[in-house]
Amino acid sequence: MRIVFMGPPGAGKGTQAAILSRLFGIPHISTGDIFRANVSEGTPLGIEAQRYMDAGEYVPDGVTNAMVRDRLTHGDAQPGFILDGYPRTVEQVAELDAMLRSSGQKLDAVIELTVDIDVVVQRLVQRAAEQGRPDDTEDVIRRRLEVYAEQTAPLIAVYKDHGILIRIDGLGDIDSVSNAIASAINP
Ligand code: AMP
């Protein structure tokens, strides 16, 4: 299974991707988590990415695509993977397509978690209080939502046209959302 999670920040992509990853026994690949790990280790990639992340902007496509290209060559991703937070731009969609095509693979499903924007802001403010993520301040949250609406939301139509989009209401409790996802993928 090769699956992509889409939806605005705070929709629950990370939580649901982790659950599905355990269920299917395939890796959960979160570009945000990889960037954060690099930031905390102070790697050159982390130093490059941090200024974009702190401002709520996207890390440049060249940097992000190279990182994902490398991650998808690891042995654990050969049977399948769950991408969380990638692709997020038109260029990333094209790059992911090219990466998969070159190894004779394709995406099986793109899961869009739909949520009410007010709920998302509330969740992100709460996560900021609990986890203290530097990009969870109110101004940055607002900017991240704008960037999502401008650059990432339009990609959903592309995957809809490809016939692989699955829309799931992300507003329920964690178990009911994950049950809805599992039955949509594995009816
Ligand atoms: P996330 O944890 O997925 O919300 O990602 C946190 C931050 O990492 C984002 O606001 C971006 O700055 C950066 N990031 C994560 N994934 C991507 C991506 N696919 N393209 C560009 N930037 C990304």
Side-chain angles (χ1 to χ4, degrees), residues 31-59:
T31 43
D33 285 351
I34 301 175
F35 283 134
R36 279 184 288 279
N38 277 275
V39 168
S40 57
E41 286 160 22
T43 67
L45 174 65
I47 291 164
E48 163 86 3
Q50 184 167 22
R51 57 199 161 112
Y52 298 101
M53 297 171 75
D54 286 352
E57 305 292 339
Y58 286 166
V59 177

Side-chain angles (χ1 to χ4, degrees), residues 146-158:
E146 271 172 17
V147 173
Y148 177 82
E150 286 162 10
Q151 299 200 45
T152 306
L155 309 181
I156 288 167
V158 174

Side-chain angles (χ1 to χ4, degrees), residues 88-164:
R88 265 171 148 118
T89 66
V90 173
E91 284 79 4
Q92 291 178 18
V93 167
E95 182 72 11
L96 176 61
D97 263 6
M99 285 180 221
L100 294 175
R101 212 176 319 114
S102 69
S103 47
Q105 302 170 343
K106 62 177 181 50
L107 288 178
D108 295 293
V110 173
I111 300 168
E112 180 197 3
L113 292 179
T114 61
V115 279
D116 184 271
I117 284 305
D118 291 339
V119 172
V120 154
V121 172
Q122 222 174 24
R123 281 185 184 176
L124 290 172
V125 168
Q126 191 184 339
R127 186 171 76 185
E130 288 165 5
Q131 300 178 5
R133 260 176 62 164
D135 58 351
D136 270 349
T137 65
E138 206 177 321
D139 279 354
V140 180
I141 287 170
R142 207 167 295 121
R143 181 63 192 146
R144 288 167 66 212
L145 288 167
E146 271 172 17
V147 173
Y148 177 82
E150 286 162 10
Q151 299 200 45
T152 306
L155 309 181
I156 288 167
V158 174
Y159 286 122
K160 189 162 188 264
D161 286 349
H162 292 185
I164 55 171

